[in-house]
Each structure stands twice: as structure tokens, then as C-alpha cells.
Amino acid sequence: MLEKTYRPAEVEEKHYRLWEESGAFAANTQSNARPYTIMMPPPNVTGSLHMGHALTFTLQDVLIRYKRMRGRDALWQPGTDHAGIATQMVVERNLAKEGKTRHDFGRDAFIDKVWEWKAESGGTITRQLRRLGASPDWAKERFTMDEGLSKAVRKVFVELYRQGLLYKDKRLVNWDPKLHTAISDLEVEQREIKGNLWHFKYPIEGEADRFIVVATTRPETMLGDTAVAVHPEDERYKDLIGKNVVLPLVGRLIPIVGDEYADPETGSGAVKITPAHDFNDFNVGKRNGLDIINIMDRDARLTDAVPEAYRGLDRYEARKKVVADIEALGLLEKIEPHTHMVPHGDRSGVAIEPWLTDQWYVDAATLAKPAIEAVETGKTVFVPKQWENTYYEWMRNIQPWCVSRQIWWGHQIPAWYGPDGQVFVEETEEAARAAADKHYGKTVELARDQDVLDTWFSSALWPFSTLGWPDKTPELDRYYPTDVLVTGFDIIFFWVARMMMMGIHFMGDVPFRTVYIHALVRDEKGQKMSKSKGNVIDPLELIGEYGTDALRFTLSAMAAQGRDIKLSVNRVEGYRNFATKLWNAARYCQMNGAVPVPGFEPKGLTQTVNRWIAGALAEAGKKVADAIEAYKFNEAAGAIYQFTWGTFCDWYLEFTKPILNGSDEAAKAETRATTAWVLDEILHILHPLMPFITEELWEQLAEGRRNRLISAGWPEHGPDLIDPAARDEMEWVVRVISSVRSMRSEMNVPPSAQIALHLKDASPETLKRLDTHRDLILRMGRLASAEPLQGAVPKSAVQAVVDEATVILPLEGIVDLDKERARLTKEIEKLSAEIKKIDAKLGNEQFVAKAPEEVIEEQRDRRETAAQARDKLQKAVEMLGA
């Protein structure tokens, strides 16, 4: 017999261990079954499970368990990412506690330290994924720095170089002056800074007392200005285009150029151009053939390229001195307070410097063309479809991809330099030496490039490198291209697009057929979770409190396409109650002898209620399957929840109590067998979403089951299980009882009050149903009687329409209907006023323009809740009649 209470913690570890030991997660390369592949977005080896992980890995696991049950050879490829900067910083912080830096060890010894750390602490995230119930093929786990993947990285780098698609260039990058490396846009966070806008007067060459005013938030960069730009059509400055200004403090003559980048409506309409220290200015400089003067070093200190007075100063010290000196020259027109966004390194916390350096670049524009075409032609589709627009926007405006990083942990670039700087790009040092010997005609000293590759470079190869490429493996042949990628919108460009480019280029086919983009998990008010706000919800704490299944089901139930998830602990608690309801229903079935009957087929059933539930189960199973296939996880969760809690527990188990307590042994046997069969099917359909409780019940509800539920087949039921007559009859009973309960509730009828029910204008078929199911309707509606209406409708009565008939409940002496009408009308007026107030807010353009997205979303939710409540009350007023 099942324990009285379901205790998740006691069963989760047990079942996960048994699943893993039995090989239930493993794909089978030798299988004749059709393959189905999902590539796990590799979490950082430094990571620990957060709510975004919980969502994406739950949805992937739902898909993989479902497809496994459908008989597919399902591979969920796991692994972790070496996370270059993040991992290096963790290890450096550990060394700092010992008063040491990486430079005390040197590169090779430091890398050894990182590997030591990875061996000891790098498995945290994969252990936590196991707690989430994730079922990837752990035997195939990969790491972006393992030897096989490193081999793939080297080969791709060399081939791209030889094809002219990878090259070295001097361009601006996001430079982190603290970490001393270029970083990707994804590692840059914009912070709002309260600063100033300084307006400087630049003297026009040869025109005494004539100036052009430029405004800047970064006065120190003016020392590297090489032009002033104005709009070619700006009448104020047309006569100045082609002339020079004298750059204050420096004395250098720089031209005034006409360029559409200058906005006549912003500031003075004239902008200073510093090509070496601003991305927009860099482009203006390229268009206009301007000099590019790098005035900072890797620490963001000023170099010898500036006048002596400023050399060696930190950028912020230089800022103060430049402003003071400009003011002393009488060239400071004004200073305005100015709040603006300043990019900062998300790891170091310091302001990022656009800096001109030699870096390695991939010709992303060339690689992007076939990747754009693949989505345009439907080879790869995005779900929801609107994310294709984000993909196109990025890909059609793609810039060269900087792939080099100035850190030690990562894939070291396979390039070696000769004494004269000649570069030799090869997969191995031996091959580079051979190429150098041939080039120079003798043996020379080679120096390896010290940079490593951007983490996204190796991640871009993930769909094929993990399957063994560049070797021709059975896995590569069988599981590429993959079926679906499940990920967040924030890395469509950084990861999805780059996998598309690399997959098509090296494999000749797209890496995945579908890209499912899930939403963000926010707090219950719709705000983004952050440590500073103190609103972060820890998935592991929720698992400890409510069980893994409750969290998984919550995330699935809230994963509506295109809508962010507003997660509240109450929702998780609610779905824990759903697990409890299922457990209690299973205990009830056990206690009433409803145990699985081997070979039971739900065909030829004699009891209407049993034919109804068998058909309803078939319909629910199809709804769940269709929803999962369409990535509508919320609809899948909703369908199984409504069927299990509503149709099965609240209706069927109640409807069949008279049969189980009756004397018809054949009807009792059929009902017990049907009940057990339906419960078993529920466990199958619910398993992908709530794997632990379903596996535990599957094990306990029948003795001697050899197979585990994870390996069982998905229920396949055709339309022949649906008996339309039985369905219509039992659903009529449900509608009548629901109407009675609703009227009682809305009119505040005391639960103990036994009242009469009258049916008006009922058809002969309806009256026959009433006769058949009268006892059920009386018991479940708490009624004294249920009869056709004889004569006029009683005065103090409420009514509701069910099909062609009117259900009437006389309430004289039980409820004061005039008082109820007044109460309901007052509530409706109150809700209407609230809706009107919210509509006015949402219709106010200024409010909508200024309010944060989460505030607007909260207002919309409040309006929807109020409107639903008002509609419900209006229906209650309609029940009262005239």
C-alpha cells in the first residue's frame, strides 16, 4: 500500500540513480529507430543551476522523454563550456587568497591549476542537472576543452584561415582595462551613469574668433581627435566642410568633414571624431580616410601619442586635467549634467574602452549569407516565428567577428610567428615548423601566438564537434543535423547564428531543423531577477521545499510562447498540491481494489461512465502529444492537469463510487480495471513533465513490472475509443452539476442547504439523462430533488441555461435575492471603475513611454483579472433573472 504522504526527497535520488545505472538515457547508434537529437546548450563549467537553466533544461527534458517514449532513438547530447574569462577569474580569485597571481606561476603551471580546479569543482552544474531530473546521455558528455573538441577547433581555425575567411586586422574592440583582454558584446553590460556633457570650442584655422562647438562625455579622448564631423546638409556649417580646426591642447590641424553620422538635431550638430576610441567614430574615420591615433595603453592610461603633460595619466585623471586646461584657455563653453549608458565589463566591473588592437577576425558577413538563406527557405525555423526577425536583423548587419582573447585559459590560437613576423597557421607545432623551414630555407625560432579563442568560437562547433568531427563517426552520420535547439533569445546572435554559420560551412547542412526560443523567468511582479533587487528565486531551494516535479510542472505550465514567466512560489506550491492530489487518487484506487489488469483493453465496456472516461483519456493524450510536438508546453501541462485533477479525480472517481459500493460484480470489476488502466495512462502522459512521482507510482501500483516507466511507450489511442453518446451524456451531467455548484457559490447558498432543482424546456433525451443520473446529481449538487418544472418559475429563483434546458434553483427563505443583486451590482461597478482607471493609464502615451515594461505588464494583468472577475459577476446577475 502506498504511504499516506508523498515524500519527493526519498524517491528522487533513488529513481535517478536507477535510470542512469540502467542506461535508460542512452542513445543507441546501432538502433533501427528514427533518431531524434537535442544539443544541450553547454552551461559554464563555473556555473550553478539558476532559474533560467531550470526552465531551458526542463523543456529539453520534456521533449527528450516524450520522444523516447514515442520510440525514437533519442540523443540529448550533454556537456559543459570552459567559459574562458569566467573560469580564469574563479581560479585567479582562489590564488589571490594565497596572495598570488597567475604571473607567479607562468602560463603552463597556471593552466594546470585551472584543470585542477575543473576536476574538483567543475561538476557542480551537472550534479544539479541530475537533481532537476535531466536525462541526457551522460556517457557522451563532452567539454569544450577536451582533446576531441580541441582538435575540431584547430582544424576549423586553420581551414577558415586558408580559405581567407579568418585573418588578422587592426580594429576597435571592447577592451577590458582590468582583465587586459578583448571581450564580446555579451560580456558587456550597460550601466546608467550620472555624468556630464562638456561643450568645447574648437578654433577654425585662419578665422580669428570663429569656433565650432562640439559636445563630449569623454573629454580625455579629444587628444586623439582626427576630425570634426557635420551633416553635409546642415546650412550652419556648409561653408566649413573641407576647412580645418586647430585641436586645442595638441595644436594639430584636423579637418571638418561632411558625414551623415552628425545629427543636426543633436547638440550643436557638430561631433568630434576619435576613430581609435569610439566604434561610430571608427566607421566615420574609415569612410573619410582619417588618421587613427591610439592614445591609450592596455591599462587605459594615456600614451606617448599625446602631449607630454598627459602621458601616463589614468583616463579619469586625464579627463579632469583636460577639462581644467580647456577652461584655462577659455574654450569651455558650458557643462551640462548628463545621464547616459556606459558599457562595463560584466566580470571586472570596470568601464570598457573601445581600443584599437591587432586581433584575429572571422569574415562573418560571408559565412552569414547561407545561414540567412537557410532560415528564409525554411530549412531551419524559429518558434515563435517572430524571433526570425531578430536573427535577420543581426545577421544582415553583421560585423567581422573578433575571435581572439588576451587570456590564458582557452584554446590557444594555432599560429606561430617567424623572426620577421611571418605567420604560420597550422594545426600542430610540427606542421608550423615544417612550413617555416620551407619558407625560410632553414630552421628558425618560432614564437606561438599567445592569444586564445573566444569561447563562442568552440561553442559554434558544438552540434558537430561533440559527435566526433572532424573524424567520420557513426554518431556524426546518425545524429547530425539535430532536430531542435532550445535556448533563450539573448544568445540568438552569439550562439545560434554562429552555429548556423559554422554548421552549414563545415557540414553542408544546418545544425538544427527548429530553434525553440523560450522566454525569461521573472519574479511574480514581472521584474527581472537580480541579486541587487533581492528577488532571485533559487530553483534548488524550491526543489528541496516542494519537490522537483512541482518545479518542472510549474515551469512547463507557464512556458507560453512569446510570454515571459512570472514565477511565484505560490504557483510551485499549487503544483506540489497537484502531485499530492495524484498520489491521493492512486491511494484511493489501491484501497478500492483498482489495480492494473494484465492485457486489459478498454473496448466493449458496458458502463457509460467507463466508455466516457476511456474516450476522455484518449482525447487528453492526443492534446498533450500535439502540444508537445508544437512546443506549446503550457498547453500540454494544462491538458494533463485538467484531465487528471478535473475529469479523473473530481468527476470520474466520484461518479463511480456508487458502482464500487454497489452489488453488480461485473460492473464493479469493469470499473476497477478501467480506473486502474486510466491511472496507468495518466502516469505515461504525465511522465515527461513529472518524471519522479509517475515512476514511483508506476513501480508501486502493480507488482512484478519488469520495465520502468521511462522506457515505456507513449499511449497511442485512435478515435475508436471515443464513444460520442457516452461523452455527450456524461459531459451533460458534469455541466448540470457545475451549474448548480456555480449558482450556489455565487448566491452564497449555505453548504448544508438541501434545495430543489427544476428543469424547464428539457427535451425527452435530457429528461432521460436526468432519470438515469438523478442520484449522482442530487449527491454532488447537494440537492433535495431534481425534477422537470411543473407550472411557472418560482419568484425567488436563480437560473442558468444548460444546452436547450434551463436549470432553476428556488431560493426563497434561503437567500435574499434583492440583497444579492445589490451586492453584485456594487462589485461590478467597483471593478468597472478600476478597469476604466487602468485603461486611462494605458491610453496615456506619456505613461506608456516612461513606465518600465514590467509596470505596463502588471497593469495589463490587473485589467485582465478585473475584467474576468466582472464577467463572472455579470453572469451571476444574469442567473437572478429580471
Side-chain angles (χ1 to χ4, degrees):
M1 178 62 68
L2 287 168
E3 294 284 338
K4 192 172 182 182
T5 308
Y6 174 57
R7 297 184 181 86
E10 293 177 14
V11 306
E12 288 173 2
E13 190 279 329
K14 173 188 79 172
H15 284 303
Y16 198 92
R17 179 174 45 77
L18 290 171
W19 288 332
E20 198 170 352
E21 286 174 359
S22 69
F25 304 159
N28 179 5
T29 315
Q30 307 303 316
S31 168
N32 292 322
R34 196 165 142 226
Y36 178 86
T37 316
I38 298 178
M39 284 288 156
M40 177 185 287
N44 287 356
V45 71
T46 58
S48 61
L49 195 73
H50 57 62
M51 203 53 82
H53 287 137
L55 171 64
T56 191
F57 293 126
T58 291
L59 299 184
Q60 288 170 67
D61 195 54
V62 169
L63 288 169
I64 214 76
R65 286 177 183 269
Y66 166 76
K67 292 292 185 177
R68 207 180 269 135
M69 294 175 83
R70 292 304 292 253
R72 301 284 290 272
D73 173 28
L75 169 63
W76 185 12
Q77 172 64 55
T80 49
D81 191 283
H82 65 280
I85 293 174
T87 305
Q88 179 158 318
M89 284 190 70
V90 168
V91 178
E92 287 197 78
R93 275 198 297 268
N94 292 340
L95 293 178
K97 292 173 190 171
E98 303 168 18
K100 293 180 179 175
T101 73
R102 61 183 159 125
H103 300 288
D104 294 322
F105 291 85
R107 183 171 191 138
D108 291 344
F110 175 75
I111 296 298
D112 290 341
K113 286 280 180 192
V114 182
W115 280 108
E116 283 173 26
W117 175 86
K118 194 258 179 187
E120 290 171 23
S121 311
T124 299
I125 188 78
T126 53
R127 287 193 296 274
Q128 291 170 341
L129 284 176
R130 286 171 165 87
R131 282 200 70 190
L132 189 66
S135 61
D137 189 344
W138 288 116
K140 290 186 171 66
E141 184 179 352
R142 302 303 298 267
F143 177 53
T144 48
M145 287 280 286
D146 72 28
E147 181 44 45
L149 270 64
S150 295
K151 179 181 174 184
V153 167
R154 291 191 298 271
K155 186 169 183 65
V156 165
F157 189 96
V158 172
E159 288 202 8
L160 288 175
Y161 178 78
R162 288 175 180 165
Q163 292 162 4
L165 295 170
L166 192 148
Y167 55 90
K168 207 162 191 184
D169 195 11
K170 191 181 280 288
R171 295 177 61 92
L172 285 193
V173 295
N174 296 311
W175 183 261
D176 189 313
K178 182 178 178 182
L179 299 180
H180 295 147
T181 181
I183 61 175
S184 75
D185 289 344
L186 195 65
E187 293 158 323
V188 174
E189 60 182 27
Q190 299 292 336
R191 295 187 189 173
E192 191 174 83
I193 301 294
K194 289 182 178 175
N196 291 311
L197 197 58
W198 288 271
H199 295 255
F200 293 166
K201 295 191 291 187
Y202 285 13
I204 307 294
E205 182 195 17
E207 298 188 34
D209 300 324
R210 190 177 181 193
F211 305 92
I212 191 165
V213 176
V214 297
T216 180
T217 58
R218 305 182 64 216
E220 67 280 7
T221 64
M222 62 85 62
L223 299 171
D225 285 358
T226 58
V228 171
V230 295
H231 196 280
E233 304 301 319
D234 193 331
E235 292 296 334
R236 295 170 295 176
Y237 303 121
K238 264 191 173 180
D239 68 312
L240 290 179
I241 294 174
K243 293 187 177 183
N244 294 323
V245 298
V246 181
L247 184 62
L249 307 181
V250 180
R252 189 170 66 243
L253 292 179
I254 61 174
I256 298 170
V257 298
D259 194 283
E260 291 185 355
Y261 169 63
D263 182 0
E265 305 297 321
T266 302
S268 66
V271 289
K272 58 186 282 304
I273 302 298
T274 322
H277 297 283
D278 182 278
F279 288 102
N280 290 314
D281 291 6
F282 182 79
N283 293 329
V284 174
K286 283 271 190 186
R287 283 196 294 272
N288 293 278
L290 301 176
D291 290 338
I292 299 175
I293 303 172
N294 196 351
I295 64 165
M296 291 189 199
D297 64 14
R298 68 180 203 149
D299 297 306
R301 290 184 174 276
L302 273 58
T303 67
D304 290 349
V306 301
E308 194 172 345
Y310 307 97
R311 292 174 189 169
L313 292 181
D314 170 80
R315 53 186 164 168
Y316 298 116
E317 293 169 5
R319 178 175 300 180
K320 290 176 191 170
K321 183 163 176 56
V322 164
V323 171
D325 292 349
I326 288 277
E327 187 173 20
L329 291 172
L331 297 176
L332 178 63
E333 184 173 82
K334 61 179 176 178
I335 304 174
E336 293 177 313
H338 182 67
T339 300
H340 61 129
M341 304 305 287
V342 176
H344 283 67
D346 65 349
R347 305 282 176 192
S348 66
V350 302
I352 291 306
E353 192 61 49
W355 197 47
L356 191 66
T357 61
D358 285 315
Q359 303 281 353
W360 288 94
Y361 289 89
V362 167
D363 178 359
T366 299
L367 292 175
K369 286 172 188 169
I372 293 168
E373 186 189 2
V375 176
E376 287 173 337
T377 57
K379 283 182 184 172
T380 294
V381 297
F382 279 77
V383 179
K385 192 172 174 61
Q386 70 260 25
W387 289 112
E388 289 179 6
N389 296 328
T390 303
Y391 175 82
Y392 290 142
E393 177 66 25
W394 277 330
M395 295 291 270
R396 287 168 182 161
N397 296 287
I398 201 163
Q399 296 296 309
W401 170 19
C402 175
V403 295
S404 43
R405 297 291 180 266
Q406 289 67 53
I407 57 175
W408 288 354
W409 172 244
H411 294 102
Q412 193 170 352
I413 285 174
W416 287 261
Y417 299 95
D420 57 356
Q422 175 68 35
V423 65
F424 301 93
V425 175
E426 300 289 347
E427 290 182 49
T428 65
E429 186 171 351
E430 291 74 21
R433 290 197 180 283
D437 289 352
K438 186 176 178 184
H439 174 78
Y440 293 109
K442 60 179 180 178
T443 299
V444 297
E445 194 71 30
L446 291 182
R448 185 163 184 181
D449 196 308
Q450 293 297 294
D451 289 356
V452 300
L453 284 161
D454 175 13
T455 301
W456 296 105
F457 190 91
S458 49
S459 299
L461 318 182
W462 190 251
F464 54 93
S465 64
T466 51
L467 298 175
W469 188 93
D471 296 336
K472 289 186 164 100
T473 64
E475 287 80 10
L476 189 65
D477 185 52
R478 182 166 176 76
Y479 299 113
Y480 189 98
T482 71
D483 290 83
V484 63
L485 178 76
V486 178
T487 190
F489 67 87
D490 52 338
I491 53 174
I492 290 175
F493 177 65
F494 292 97
W495 192 44
V496 179
R498 287 164 178 172
M499 284 190 287
M500 287 286 285
M501 291 190 285
M502 293 298 198
I504 293 169
H505 190 75
F506 286 97
M507 293 296 297
D509 200 351
V510 295
F512 19 75
R513 302 298 186 204
T514 301
V515 180
Y516 172 75
I517 301 292
H518 61 69
L520 282 177
V521 186
R522 299 179 178 269
D523 72 6
E524 59 188 312
K525 293 177 184 171
Q527 298 181 86
K528 201 168 180 178
M529 291 188 197
S530 70
K531 289 177 183 175
S532 59
K533 287 180 185 168
N535 64 346
V536 173
I537 303 173
D538 184 343
L540 295 165
E541 286 181 13
L542 291 180
I543 286 171
E545 181 78 16
Y546 302 108
T548 298
D549 288 329
L551 176 62
R552 287 172 59 112
F553 199 87
T554 303
L555 293 169
S556 302
M558 300 183 79
Q561 287 183 12
R563 290 197 68 176
D564 284 347
I565 291 173
K566 293 180 184 176
L567 185 67
S568 72
V569 174
N570 289 342
R571 287 296 292 265
V572 184
E573 186 177 7
Y575 290 123
R576 189 272 312 273
N577 296 343
F578 174 52
T580 301
K581 181 87 171 177
L582 176 66
W583 187 265
N584 291 341
R587 285 189 85 240
Y588 167 84
C589 293
Q590 261 193 341
M591 290 161 69
N592 283 276
V595 294
V597 175
F600 175 80
E601 284 290 335
K603 290 174 183 172
L605 299 169
T606 62
Q607 303 297 306
T608 303
V609 71
N610 291 336
R611 293 198 301 278
W612 163 66
I613 197 65
L617 179 280
E619 288 180 325
K622 186 174 187 310
K623 279 183 190 170
V624 174
D626 289 349
I628 293 175
E629 295 279 3
Y631 308 103
K632 294 180 178 177
F633 299 96
N634 61 313
E635 292 182 13
I640 188 61
Y641 179 91
Q642 287 159 18
F643 177 79
T644 304
W645 190 306
T647 308
F648 182 69
C649 295
D650 287 353
W651 295 112
Y652 177 74
L653 295 184
E654 288 297 324
F655 286 169
T656 54
K657 279 178 180 176
I659 298 175
L660 297 178
N661 294 327
S663 56
D664 186 335
E665 292 302 323
K668 283 161 81 169
E670 177 187 292
T671 301
R672 285 191 185 114
T674 304
T675 303
W677 175 81
V678 172
L679 180 57
D680 256 5
E681 298 297 276
I682 286 171
L683 299 182
H684 281 77
I685 297 167
L686 187 55
H687 178 77
L689 289 91
M690 299 180 97
F692 290 110
I693 190 171
T694 52
E695 189 73 81
E696 179 69 10
L697 289 172
W698 175 260
E699 183 182 272
Q700 292 213 37
L701 288 175
E703 290 182 17
R705 274 180 171 155
R706 290 182 182 178
N707 67 320
R708 301 184 63 74
L709 184 58
I710 190 174
S711 305
W714 183 264
E716 302 275 4
H717 302 300
D720 55 323
L721 260 194
I722 299 166
D723 182 330
R727 177 189 62 200
D728 294 348
E729 184 173 329
M730 296 314 300
E731 286 184 357
W732 176 85
V733 177
V734 169
R735 287 197 297 278
V736 169
I737 295 169
S738 297
S739 293
V740 170
R741 287 175 171 177
S742 179
M743 287 189 277
R744 291 184 69 121
S745 170
E746 295 296 347
M747 299 303 132
N748 290 325
V749 176
S752 58
Q754 294 280 313
I755 53 180
L757 175 148
H758 298 297
L759 273 184
K760 177 174 175 278
D761 300 330
S763 67
E765 186 180 22
T766 295
L767 293 176
K768 185 182 175 188
R769 288 172 176 172
L770 179 63
D771 283 341
T772 304
H773 300 288
R774 182 177 277 104
D775 289 346
L776 273 183
I777 293 167
L778 295 181
R779 177 169 62 87
M780 296 181 72
R782 294 196 296 279
L783 300 168
S785 61
E787 301 295 340
L789 179 69
Q790 304 293 333
V793 175
K795 274 187 180 179
S796 295
V798 291
Q799 39 194 305
V801 175
V802 176
D803 299 347
E804 86 293 346
T806 304
V807 177
I808 299 165
L809 297 183
L811 297 178
E812 191 168 10
I814 299 171
V815 175
D816 184 334
L817 295 191
D818 289 335
K819 197 173 175 182
E820 273 304 303
R821 188 180 284 107
R823 178 184 72 81
L824 292 168
T825 304
K826 190 176 178 183
E827 281 295 314
I828 289 168
E829 287 169 356
K830 186 178 169 186
L831 288 166
S832 295
E834 187 182 351
I835 291 166
K836 190 176 177 183
K837 189 177 171 186
I838 295 169
D839 284 343
K841 257 188 187 178
L842 294 174
N844 183 328
E845 288 181 11
Q846 283 187 317
F847 171 77
V848 173
K850 290 180 181 177
E853 185 186 330
E854 56 259 31
V855 172
I856 293 170
E857 193 65 30
E858 184 186 1
Q859 290 293 320
R860 286 182 182 138
D861 286 348
R862 279 181 60 197
R863 190 200 185 285
E864 189 179 341
T865 303
Q868 286 172 350
R870 183 183 63 179
D871 292 348
K872 191 177 176 187
L873 293 177
Q874 283 172 338
K875 282 180 184 171
V877 170
E878 288 168 14
M879 290 177 192
L880 294 165

